């Protein structure tokens, strides 16, 4: 399980690279990066397959095939059902990223099966694949996060760590005492160990995705002299849009918990203004098609203290720090202006849960702040069902409201999301 912990931590850190502003590298640089990503998305799982042959690991080969197969079916099914337009509007199969999912399928297997010496380099290369998809405008950041998360969860369904070496055990019989020496070649730890105590996880990875409806998205730049723009009316392609988030939790004890959350959002769409508007010092004409790009990427990290650790009811209070990256771009003809802002802010949290039965649990969480230039309120209600002690699935509703007020940009954003959540504890 230590290897799984390292794998998840690496992925959470490496995925930050994909959450960059959607500025695009032009010319041959983008083409070259995209070509490298195209090769790596196949090279990583194929390398994993080759290593199973080099190690004569038939069981691992079967686990890899199951993980890759589950990933492929899940990704292709979601592409067909969601029909999300790509950033460059070339096709409506953007969510999730198939390239990223393929790369992470191989990387997650290598980490789980053979350890960090194989897994960490593979994860870094897989993260680079996701980065190239965003830079080439083939995917949004949440598409990439979804592809990586689906691949890792699919891998954890099947893959087990490989144990090699020599095991020496004492033996006692009626007539003698001695040692039993056994060679471990290609055996799985999960097959060698038996749970003797109730399962108490130390870590949890969860992935949620769903439909997000933009209820309000007002922008003004600069905040003092710019026109107030209602970007929510730009809904030709992307309202509702997809939302996805990944979280990693560390349960230090029954009372103490640390967590990190990645929550990327980008919306691209087209529309017109009924009157001329001023954005970032430039006047955009009325009744002319304008392309809009709006980004709000968030990384949230915090701590929770469980006030009531015993019984069916849990009450957790705490807080943390949020980093929010906001980017707005408007393009109309030869007019092209963009504004970007990065902010840190502390926030407070209160989370409660109640076990409706041995397997069914209702959770309610609220995070919020009113600090300097940033205000936000994030409320989530989730109904979760425990499939096994390690796996859970749930459906939820999220209401998110955020206000940003700095000299270069004023933004009021409100959205409601309905989502599916899949969690893995270890």
């Amino acid at each position: 399980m230590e290897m799984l912990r390292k794998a998840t931590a690496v992925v959470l850190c490496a995925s930050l690279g994909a959450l960059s502003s959607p500025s695009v590298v032009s010319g041959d640089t983008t083409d070259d990066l995209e070509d490298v990503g195209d090769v790596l998305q196949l090279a990583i799982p194929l390398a994993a397959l080759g290593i199973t042959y080099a190690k004569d690991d038939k069981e691992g080969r079967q686990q890899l095939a199951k993980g890759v197969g589950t990933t492929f079916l899940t990704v292709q099914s979601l592409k067909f059902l969601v029909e999300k337009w790509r950033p460059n509007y070339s096709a409506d199969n953007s969510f999730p990223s198939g390239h990223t999912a393929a790369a992470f399928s191989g990387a997650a297997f290598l980490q789980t099966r053979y350890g960090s010496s194989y897994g960490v380099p593979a994860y870094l290369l897989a993260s680079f694949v996701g980065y190239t998809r965003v830079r080439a405008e083939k995917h949004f950041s949440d598409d990439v996060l979804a592809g990586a998360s689906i691949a890792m969860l699919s891998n954890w369904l099947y893959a087990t760590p490989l144990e090699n070496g020599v095991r020496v055990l004492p033996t006692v019989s009626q007539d003698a005492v001695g040692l039993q020496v056994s060679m471990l070649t290609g055996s799985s730890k999960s097959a060698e160990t038996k749970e003797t105590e109730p399962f108490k996880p130390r870590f949890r990875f969860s992935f949620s995705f769903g439909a997000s409806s933009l209820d309000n998205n007002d922008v003004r730049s600069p905040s003092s002299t710019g026109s107030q723009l209602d970007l929510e009316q730009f809904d030709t392609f992307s309202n509702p849009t997809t939302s996805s988030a990944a979280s990693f939790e560390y349960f230090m004890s029954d009372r103490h918990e640390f967590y990190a959350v990645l929550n990327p959002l980008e919306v691209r769409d087209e529309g017109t203004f009924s009157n001329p508007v001023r954005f970032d010092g430039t006047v955009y004409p009325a009744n002319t098609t304008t392309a809009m790009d709006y980004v709000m990427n968030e990384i949230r990290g915090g701590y929770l203290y469980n006030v009531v650790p015993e019984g069916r009811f849990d009450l957790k209070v705490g807080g943390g720090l949020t980093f929010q990256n906001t980017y707005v771009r408007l393009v109309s003809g030869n007019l092209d202006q963009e504004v970007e802002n990065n902010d840190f802010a502390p926030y407070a949290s209160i989370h409660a849960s109640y076990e409706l039965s041995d397997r069914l649990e209702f959770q309610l969480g609220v995070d919020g702040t009113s600090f300097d230039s940033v205000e936000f309120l994030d409320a989530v209600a989730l109904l979760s069902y425990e499939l096994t002690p390690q796996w859970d699935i749930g459906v939820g509703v999220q209401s998110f409201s955020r206000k940003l007020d700095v000299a270069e940009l004023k933004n009021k954003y409100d959205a409601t999301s309905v989502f599916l959540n899949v969690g893995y504890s270890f």
Side-chain angles (χ1 to χ4, degrees):
M1 293 308 171
E2 177 69 12
M3 285 187 287
L4 290 178
R5 178 190 68 79
K6 291 179 180 177
T8 307
V10 167
V11 169
L12 287 172
C13 294
S15 297
L16 300 183
L19 302 184
S20 57
S21 298
S23 55
V24 180
V25 176
S26 60
D28 295 337
T29 304
T30 298
D31 295 336
D32 292 343
L33 287 177
E34 187 178 357
D35 290 343
V36 174
D38 290 342
V39 172
L40 286 175
Q41 63 131 348
L42 297 175
I44 298 172
L46 287 175
L49 178 63
I51 292 171
T52 66
Y53 278 101
K55 291 182 174 290
D56 194 22
D57 183 9
K58 181 179 179 181
E59 182 185 38
R61 205 152 45 245
Q62 293 171 345
Q63 293 173 354
L64 175 63
K66 291 176 182 178
V68 171
T70 301
T71 299
F72 176 81
L73 291 175
T74 303
V75 167
Q76 295 305 316
S77 297
L78 286 174
K79 283 180 177 290
F80 175 78
L81 292 171
V82 175
E83 296 184 335
K84 178 183 178 181
W85 285 96
R86 293 181 183 269
N88 59 8
Y89 306 116
S90 61
D92 61 351
N93 60 353
S94 186
F95 184 90
S97 169
H99 280 61
T100 308
F104 270 84
S105 287
F109 170 79
L110 288 171
Q111 171 69 42
T112 304
R113 188 67 175 170
Y114 303 127
S116 298
S117 58
Y118 291 89
V120 170
Y123 267 139
L124 293 175
L125 291 174
S127 298
F128 178 76
V129 172
Y131 171 77
T132 65
R133 303 306 287 168
V134 175
R135 296 290 288 181
E137 295 195 291
K138 293 299 179 65
H139 286 288
F140 297 100
S141 294
D142 67 301
D143 304 334
V144 167
L145 181 63
S149 299
I150 290 168
M152 290 189 299
L153 290 167
S154 298
N155 164 76
W156 293 335
L157 269 174
Y158 308 107
T160 55
L162 184 70
E163 187 177 274
N164 290 289
V166 178
R167 172 176 292 172
V168 181
L169 297 173
T171 60
V172 180
S173 65
Q174 184 175 359
D175 301 320
V177 176
L179 295 175
Q180 176 184 345
V181 180
S182 58
M183 298 295 296
L184 302 176
T185 55
S187 61
S188 296
K189 288 185 179 179
S190 60
E192 302 277 345
T193 35
K194 296 181 180 179
E195 298 288 345
T196 57
E197 297 179 359
F199 177 67
K200 287 189 176 182
R202 295 297 303 276
F203 308 97
R204 182 175 182 270
F205 176 86
S206 67
F207 166 62
S208 61
F209 67 97
S212 181
S213 175
L214 306 182
D215 305 318
N216 184 52
N217 193 8
D218 292 337
V219 168
R220 179 177 292 184
S221 176
S223 59
S224 57
T225 60
S227 303
Q228 181 166 312
L229 312 180
D230 180 12
L231 298 186
E232 187 269 332
Q233 68 178 337
F234 284 56
D235 58 0
T236 305
F237 300 101
S238 303
N239 195 9
T241 187
T242 58
S243 64
S244 64
S247 68
F248 179 73
E249 300 166 81
Y250 168 52
F251 305 105
M252 196 173 193
S253 68
D254 290 341
R255 289 189 179 272
H256 303 284
E257 173 187 343
F258 295 89
Y259 64 90
V261 180
L262 299 178
N263 190 11
L265 171 75
E266 181 173 359
V267 180
R268 294 193 184 190
D269 219 316
E270 295 179 350
T272 60
F273 298 111
S274 57
N275 298 298
V277 299
R278 181 180 295 274
F279 174 75
D280 194 30
T282 299
V283 176
Y284 286 75
N287 304 315
T288 302
T289 299
T290 301
M292 173 270 295
D293 188 2
Y294 175 84
V295 175
M296 188 178 66
N297 292 322
E298 183 183 25
I299 304 168
R300 203 180 300 179
Y303 163 80
L304 290 171
Y305 177 78
N306 194 346
V307 181
V308 188
E310 303 294 337
R312 289 185 174 272
F313 178 74
D314 279 349
L315 178 63
K316 301 177 181 180
V317 295
L321 187 69
T322 177
F323 167 76
Q324 297 179 354
N325 163 250
T326 307
Y327 172 91
V328 185
R329 180 184 181 188
L330 296 180
V331 179
S332 179
N334 61 351
L335 302 177
D336 187 347
Q337 296 296 120
E338 60 184 25
V339 179
E340 184 172 11
N341 180 77
N342 296 311
D343 261 303
F344 289 90
Y347 66 89
S349 303
I350 179 168
H351 294 193
S353 62
Y354 182 74
E355 294 182 4
L356 301 173
S357 69
D358 290 342
R359 290 182 177 267
L360 195 63
E361 183 177 72
F362 177 74
Q363 303 172 18
L364 181 65
V366 179
D367 296 345
T369 191
S370 178
F371 178 80
D372 196 17
S373 59
V374 177
E375 296 181 19
F376 83 88
L377 184 66
D378 185 12
V380 177
L382 175 68
L383 186 64
S384 178
Y385 182 77
E386 182 185 279
L387 299 171
T388 71
Q390 287 187 285
W391 290 92
D392 61 85
I393 189 169
V395 292
V397 179
Q398 178 186 33
S399 176
F400 183 84
S401 179
R402 196 282 298 263
K403 293 180 181 179
L404 173 68
D405 191 355
V406 294
E408 64 271 19
L409 179 65
K410 180 181 287 187
N411 179 215
K412 187 178 188 303
Y413 175 89
D414 301 290
T416 303
S417 304
V418 178
F419 62 89
L420 177 72
N421 180 268
V422 180
Y424 177 69
S425 303
F426 50 99

